[in-house]
Amino acid sequence: DSGVTQTPKHLITATGQRVTLRCSPRSGDLSVYWYQQSLDQGLQFLIHYYNGEERAKGNILERFSAQQFPDLHSELNLSSLELGDSALYFCATGQNPYEQYFGPGTRLTVT
Amino acid sequence: KNEVEQSPQNLTAQEGEFITINCSYSVGISALHWLQQHPGGGIVSLFMLSSGKKKHGRLIATINIQEKHSSLHITASHPRDSAVYICAVIINNNNDMRFGAGTRLTVKP
């Protein structure tokens, strides 16, 4: 158990909907990364926040956005969902930008 | 061509064997991670390297920055080492990340 929590564990929703995934870091962790893992594309980096500020953006679609709040938890918002957005979404947190303690992931199924 | 290439894609070993998984990358990096993903889906970062060599138990990771290559070694492999091992690099001009496709390791008793 890394100490990083993600909610919900599973989410089933319909195309066109909007969902919010939550990541709660370990105590003291300032850095949070979001990743998408789909069957056909493997792991992809979405976005990185450090102490509330966006530090790097990867392959994140315009329909997706993220925030890191003052209490350092983070949320990933996915809107206008498509079938291809079905994937495992992981966050990873750490005290510095190079540490990666992964949460258990949220499995999103878009039907 | 993928910026991060791992080999082999699949590896089957007998318990006790020495295992090597390789990662080559074509971009400038500030750090490299070796990740382990178990069949249940959970991911653990085994090592973060920016130079040299690190060891943790039966696992050893090395990186050669000049040659843009890293290796993960497992000594005295055990069935519980069966997992997918993923190489991930942090690109040094923009902190973007790239991942290898993973190496699926199966260790048979």
Side-chain angles (χ1 to χ4, degrees), chain A:
Chain A
D1 184 355
S2 67
V4 179
T5 58
Q6 287 187 249
T7 55
K9 277 190 177 175
H10 301 278
L11 194 46
I12 302 173
T13 190
T15 53
Q17 295 298 304
R18 183 181 192 275
V19 297
T20 297
L21 312 184
R22 182 186 172 107
C23 173
S24 296
R26 304 174 316 149
S27 176
D29 283 357
L30 300 175
S31 171
V32 61
Y33 287 83
W34 283 98
Y35 302 103
Q36 179 193 57
Q37 187 177 38
S38 56
L39 277 174
D40 57 345
Q41 294 208 338
L43 263 171
Q44 290 201 83
F45 163 63
L46 295 177
I47 198 162
H48 173 221
Y49 277 85
Y50 184 81
N51 203 19
E53 291 192 7
E54 182 187 301
R55 291 287 290 263
K57 238 177 184 175
N59 251 355
I60 188 164
L61 299 171
E62 282 191 17
R63 301 184 285 108
F64 295 1
S65 64
Q67 273 184 285
Q68 186 181 30
F69 292 87
D71 68 351
L72 300 174
H73 91 272
S74 180
E75 292 181 356
L76 180 67
N77 300 295
L78 315 175
S79 60
S80 303
L81 285 167
E82 302 175 0
L83 295 177
D85 298 328
S86 296
L88 266 170
Y89 292 84
F90 289 98
C91 71
T93 74
Q95 291 188 339
N96 64 61
Y98 296 111
E99 276 189 341
Q100 303 264 328
Y101 290 90
F102 281 77
T106 292
R107 185 174 295 278
L108 173 66
T109 302
V110 183
T111 62

Side-chain angles (χ1 to χ4, degrees), chain B residues 2 7 10-11 16 20 26 31 42-43 49 61 68 72 80 94 100 104:
Chain B
N2 199 356
S7 62
N10 294 284
L11 183 54
T20 295
S26 58
I43 298 177
L49 296 158
K68 296 189 172 176
L72 176 68
R80 66 174 174 267
N94 62 6
R104 184 175 300 277

Side-chain angles (χ1 to χ4, degrees), chain B residues 26-91:
Chain B
S26 58
V27 292
I29 70 168
S30 53
L32 179 147
H33 284 269
W34 280 103
L35 309 176
Q36 179 192 55
Q37 187 169 29
H38 275 286
I43 298 177
V44 173
S45 175
L46 299 172
F47 295 103
M48 192 280 291
L49 296 158
S50 52
S51 64
K53 177 177 173 177
K54 287 191 177 178
K55 183 176 190 292
H56 186 250
R58 295 178 296 106
L59 302 178
I60 303 165
T62 63
I63 189 168
N64 185 319
I65 296 291
Q66 286 73 32
E67 294 186 4
K68 296 189 172 176
H69 182 269
S70 176
S71 294
L72 176 68
H73 306 285
I74 305 175
T75 61
S77 59
H78 190 275
R80 66 174 174 267
D81 297 326
S82 298
V84 176
Y85 292 84
I86 302 167
C87 169
V89 301
I90 301 175
I91 297 173

